[in-house]
Amino acid sequence: MAIVKMKKLALAGLISDEQAVVQTLHRMSLVEITDVKEQLSDEQQSIIDMQQVQDKLEQLDNDISRMKYTLDFLERFVPDKKGMFTGKPLVKADDYKTAAQKLDELIKIYETCRDFDEELTSIKGQRMRINNAISQMSPWVALDTPLSEVRDTRFVRLVLGTMPVVLLDGFKKAVEEDGIGCYIHNISQDRNTAYLFMAFHKNDQEILEPILRQYEWNDADLAEYSLKPAQHIEQCQHELEKLERSENEIIRQSVELTKYRLDLKLANDYLMIQKQRVEVLSDFAATRQTFILTGWVPAERTDELQGRVSSITDAYWLDFEDPVEGEPFPVAFKNNKLLRPFEMLTEMYSMPAPYSIDPTPAVAPFYFIFFGIMVGDAAYGILISVAFFAAMHFMRTKGMGQKLIMLLALCGISTAFWGAMFGSWFGDLFHIKPLWFNPMEQPMLMMVVSLIFGVVHILVGIGLKAYMSVKDGHVADAIFDQVSWMMVLGGASVWLAPLLSNMLLSTPAPQLEGAAQIGLYVAVAGVVILLVTQGRSQKNIFMKVFSGVGSLYNITGFLSDILSYSRLFALGLASGMIATVINILAGLVGMSGINLIISIPILIIGHLFNLAINGLGAYVHSSRLQYIEFFGKFFESGGKAFRPFHIETKYTDIENEEAV
């Protein structure tokens, strides 16, 4: 349950060695660097010039954005396909150096891609304009006259326009009734609109205009066109074909550029590494001749850090010191390989306070057991373990992802174990005798087992709080506030054991009577301690008594917490019942001959669904039992995770970070 002890460090050296020191710290992933300027006065900060760092960062940001832009542009034409188990490419440090040497060439590729992108945008705009022109011309295609000739003569107006189809007959009738000499030719019409050619004497325009407005006439906006509509459409089609050829050529050349994709990724990651090394300088304080940095380092690795710095230069000053009492420091865990995956459960919740404890060793066995009980099928457990152990082998994951895969692989082992104990192998598909009992046949026993695990889990949580109190020097608090409740809950549980035995086995258990009597005495002693001590901070005698009696009300909270563990019973039973239903459905179809064509897919799809839904439920509810019922008894949050200065890449993994 150890939280790694941290040392504060301060390192000063010559400015000529600054870059080498930064590179070494970056490769080691050992030191969390803090902003030294926060410890300086305003006057001291005023002499620090960060302009050069800002200029370098701006240039690196520009180059990184260029590489990303180019990769995103090429992705549009040839997607970078990744398999389920395919991680990032594993490259050598020399590959980054090669990419750095190609940076000027890659920037030219970026400029080419940017030009291509602008051309494609232009083509898209032109295509939209041409398609709009075609849409505008299509209704007039039957007009076999150049549009340039549709213009007024000395005495006659020639116009093209549109009118709602439903109003066309009324318009013709109105024109006829007013005795207007008007030629109307319906060139085409669709469901709603009629496209008309109209000729009338100029003297009739004043009479005709109000009628046109009444019947929603709109002049056609075709002034920019001169050829026949059909000729314009043909011309537009030729332009579209030309644009398509240009677009295809750009796409072809862009596809050819995808051969530089790995170089672009390497260059992007190389620039990211350089940016990290420049960015960290903003946390340093430097003059023209010297620099100083501060940070945190695990206490057990201070000698390693001293050795690496001394291998760079003899001109340095390095100091380590313990944090002052109560000073917060970054939190890191130290656990063995089996416990390490369970660290993620705490990290997802909150980092513990620096001076508390790492709950991982206590969380791990209970989470392992609870997950297995909730899924509770041996075949499912084997599938989970095989799948995630295979993922560990084929996938190069880091950090939280790596821990999650290992966690699920281990939980698969627990699932297989509890499935064998319960006799569940794809439900009742294979009739294998349970090593312990079948929850479907003895649900009450399953319930009691779940609640027993709940009591033990809560007692461990209270015990951890007692340990923390003793560690902090509050022995009396540990006895009066934690041990007393452990006596009440533990003693009451032992006292109830014969009753539960009679309920489940329907036979007396005389061997438990003596233990039950002892349990009762222990529980009563715990109650007495609570009554006497829970008001110890009160000065008034009546408040002391009232506080002691009132503290017993907390038993309802503990009972509520214990009942929460019935979810072990519920999810474990649900998994087996759903598996049995799937088997029944497949059995109804038939498990022989041609019926297997239907029954086997039912089994495969059904059991995979059951595994997925109950696996997710087990993951969530096992976590919930840790976070609410368990952590609520002792956990002190508020810590800040240890974040050492380390190499981060986006597209590639480095074979040997020490060589970068």
Side-chain angles (χ1 to χ4, degrees), residues 106-125:
L106 295 175
I107 288 176
K108 289 180 180 178
I109 293 173
Y110 152 76
E111 291 171 349
T112 300
C113 291
R114 186 187 60 189
D115 292 341
F116 283 167
D117 201 6
E118 289 176 356
E119 289 181 44
L120 290 173
T121 301
S122 175
I123 288 172
K124 182 179 179 180

Side-chain angles (χ1 to χ4, degrees), residues 392-425:
M392 287 171 54
H393 179 74
F394 292 107
M395 295 176 67
R396 288 191 307 277
T397 54
K398 295 181 180 179
M400 194 77 78
Q402 186 180 50
K403 289 180 180 179
L404 176 61
I405 290 174
M406 184 62 183
L407 173 72
L408 293 174
L410 292 174
C411 287
I413 296 174
S414 174
T415 302
F417 170 80
W418 286 104
M421 297 297 285
F422 298 151
S424 179
W425 298 79

Side-chain angles (χ1 to χ4, degrees), residues 189-241:
Q189 70 180 48
D190 54 30
R191 179 178 298 178
N192 300 314
T193 307
Y195 298 86
L196 308 173
F197 168 76
M198 190 163 57
F200 55 88
H201 198 282
K202 289 182 177 180
N203 292 338
D204 295 328
Q205 183 163 348
E206 290 185 8
I207 304 172
L208 190 59
E209 279 183 351
I211 301 175
L212 290 172
R213 284 195 298 270
Q214 180 184 350
Y215 288 92
E216 301 180 19
W217 168 272
N218 288 302
D219 289 330
D221 185 16
L222 302 174
E224 61 181 298
Y225 304 108
S226 58
L227 303 176
K228 296 178 182 180
Q231 291 175 329
H232 272 295
I233 290 175
E234 184 179 357
Q235 190 178 66
C236 287
Q237 295 290 356
H238 288 314
E239 289 181 23
L240 287 175
E241 291 172 3

Side-chain angles (χ1 to χ4, degrees), residues 16-27:
S16 57
D17 296 324
E18 183 182 53
Q19 196 59 41
V21 169
V22 168
Q23 289 180 2
T24 299
L25 296 180
H26 206 201
R27 293 164 181 162

Side-chain angles (χ1 to χ4, degrees), residues 32-89:
E32 179 175 320
I33 296 174
T34 57
D35 190 350
V36 69
K37 295 189 294 298
E38 293 179 356
Q39 306 171 36
L40 303 179
S41 65
D42 292 341
E43 183 180 353
Q44 290 171 323
Q45 291 190 40
S46 66
I47 66 173
I48 300 173
D49 183 12
M50 299 301 299
Q51 188 58 48
Q52 189 176 5
V53 171
Q54 295 302 324
D55 291 342
K56 287 182 180 178
L57 283 176
E58 186 176 349
Q59 181 59 48
L60 286 166
D61 280 332
N62 287 337
D63 289 340
I64 290 171
S65 65
R66 288 170 177 171
M67 298 302 107
K68 185 178 184 306
Y69 173 92
T70 308
L71 286 165
D72 290 344
F73 177 79
L74 297 178
E75 181 76 10
R76 289 156 53 182
F77 308 105
V78 182
D80 190 9
K81 296 181 180 179
K82 296 178 182 178
M84 181 181 296
F85 297 109
T86 304
K88 295 186 289 188

Side-chain angles (χ1 to χ4, degrees), residues 247-315:
E247 184 180 54
N248 289 338
E249 178 59 23
I250 292 172
I251 292 173
R252 185 190 66 79
Q253 293 183 43
S254 298
V255 170
E256 287 184 1
L257 291 177
T258 56
K259 65 185 179 183
Y260 295 102
R261 178 177 273 154
L262 181 57
D263 288 332
L264 289 162
K265 290 180 178 180
L266 287 167
N268 184 91
D269 287 350
Y270 167 79
L271 291 167
M272 283 183 64
I273 293 170
Q274 300 310 308
K275 179 185 175 182
Q276 292 156 22
R277 291 175 177 175
V278 173
E279 205 167 31
V280 77
L281 297 178
S282 61
D283 292 330
F284 290 18
T287 65
R288 291 185 177 180
Q289 300 297 327
T290 61
F291 72 91
I292 184 170
L293 67 90
T294 56
W296 294 95
V297 62
E300 61 189 17
R301 300 187 66 182
T302 53
D303 291 341
E304 179 185 351
L305 178 60
Q306 178 116 27
R308 292 294 293 272
V309 174
S310 63
S311 69
I312 299 170
T313 178
D314 294 328

